[in-house]
DNA sequence: GGGTTGCACTTTCTAAAAGTTAGTGCATTC
DNA sequence: GAATGCACTAACTTTTAGAAAGTGCAACCC
């Protein structure tokens, strides 16, 4: 059996640990690193976009998932939502200052991954060959 | 209708784009940023661990998901797996050089998220209050 | 002027993924 | 000699993601 997860909120000093199962930092991390979270944050790093503009940028996302993702990111204070109650409606999404800082880290990751894709593909082939050959 | 996704493999110069639906970089990114991928990478950043050691570190992961996650990361060349065919078996997991570089970026993210959790929680409360109040 | 398209979503339904449980075969610990 | 640990896999269930359709109105097209 493993020890109790650490994630305390004591004497005015909060300690958060993503390795602890019930730590709220884990779900926040998931909002950011989830399949669509990363891409939405990265897309918004380029500026302000309307809902359907984002949907076109993040190729393959469904309306439902984009809405859900943006709501989670807004609730966490990474994304700012500004709606004009006109007809047709106009809703603009942008990053908050906090969101911008975090999005920069996500972009570092994305660029790193894209840059090493040739090596990843080579590794994939080696791995598969070792089992099928 | 949105334009065709960009992700070309032409004239010896590969261009990868996570925003393109069918680009292989997207699934690689998902392996890293998936719920357990981030945590496995971060755990392995501290050194070499056996399967069940990792399972205890990454609190809450099931055997199935840890195995699946590690296999994907191994296939992508981020993780190295070394098995001794003894009884009982001994299997050690560690990061490759490439994995170490990428894990460092993931750790930056994790630390950033953990550090801003007080603000995230405050944002959550504001968001919820605005709807329920 | 009638049909299509777009806006930002939500709701319903189905398909895929994640989680849970049990089993493997042997060795060490209690 | 019973229990536990090792590193998994396989079968089953639950949760989540994705696909499709609906909303109500307005601007564009021919």
């Amino acid at each position: 059996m493993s020890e109790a997860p650490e994630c305390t909120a004591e004497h005015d000093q909060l300690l958060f640990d993503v390795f602890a199962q019930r730590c709220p930092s884990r779900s926040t991390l998931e909002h950011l690193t989830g399949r669509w979270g990363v891409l939405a944050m990265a897309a918004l790093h380029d500026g302000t976009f309307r809902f359907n503009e984002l949907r076109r940028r993040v190729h393959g996302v469904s309306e439902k998932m984009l809405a859900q993702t943006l709501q989670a990111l807004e609730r966490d204070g990474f994304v700012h939502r500004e709606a004009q109650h006109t007809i047709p409606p106009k809703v603009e999404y942008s990053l908050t200052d906090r969101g911008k800082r975090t999005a920069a880290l996500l972009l570092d990751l994305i660029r790193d991954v894209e840059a090493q894709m040739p090596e990843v593909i080579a590794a994939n082939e080696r791995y598969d060959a070792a089992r099928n050959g």
Side-chain angles (χ1 to χ4, degrees), chain A:
Chain A
M1 204 141 322
S2 64
E3 304 89 41
E6 336 78 57
C7 177
T8 57
E10 289 169 7
H11 27 66
D12 279 346
Q13 175 130 24
L14 305 186
L15 282 182
F16 296 97
D17 179 4
V18 290
F19 287 105
Q21 198 169 6
R22 297 164 194 290
C23 186
S25 65
R26 194 178 271 194
S27 57
T28 301
L29 184 66
E30 276 171 31
H31 297 158
L32 291 168
T33 62
R35 186 166 195 178
W36 305 117
V38 207
L39 298 179
M41 291 291 290
L44 286 171
H45 193 256
D46 288 352
T48 296
F49 296 97
R50 299 177 64 171
F51 184 84
N52 280 302
E53 285 177 331
L54 273 175
R55 209 163 95 80
R56 268 170 256 131
R57 290 202 138 221
V58 180
H59 201 90
V61 71
S62 67
E63 298 183 319
K64 177 190 162 191
M65 288 313 295
L66 183 58
Q68 210 172 98
T69 301
L70 289 171
Q71 279 162 16
L73 293 174
E74 189 198 352
R75 194 175 106 100
D76 288 347
F78 294 115
V79 164
H80 175 69
R81 176 181 185 272
E82 193 145 7
Q84 293 175 24
H85 294 289
T86 57
I87 288 175
K90 180 172 186 178
V91 181
E92 292 191 318
Y93 292 92
S94 56
L95 291 179
T96 61
D97 287 344
R98 200 146 58 69
K100 280 175 199 160
R101 281 197 295 111
T102 304
L105 297 177
L106 289 169
L107 274 178
D108 287 346
L109 216 210
I110 288 174
R111 285 195 267 257
D112 177 77
V113 168
E114 286 176 347
Q116 61 183 302
M117 280 310 293
E119 289 154 273
V120 169
I121 289 172
N124 285 172
E125 283 164 5
R126 255 179 277 122
Y127 184 94
D128 293 343
R131 274 131 250 264
N132 302 337

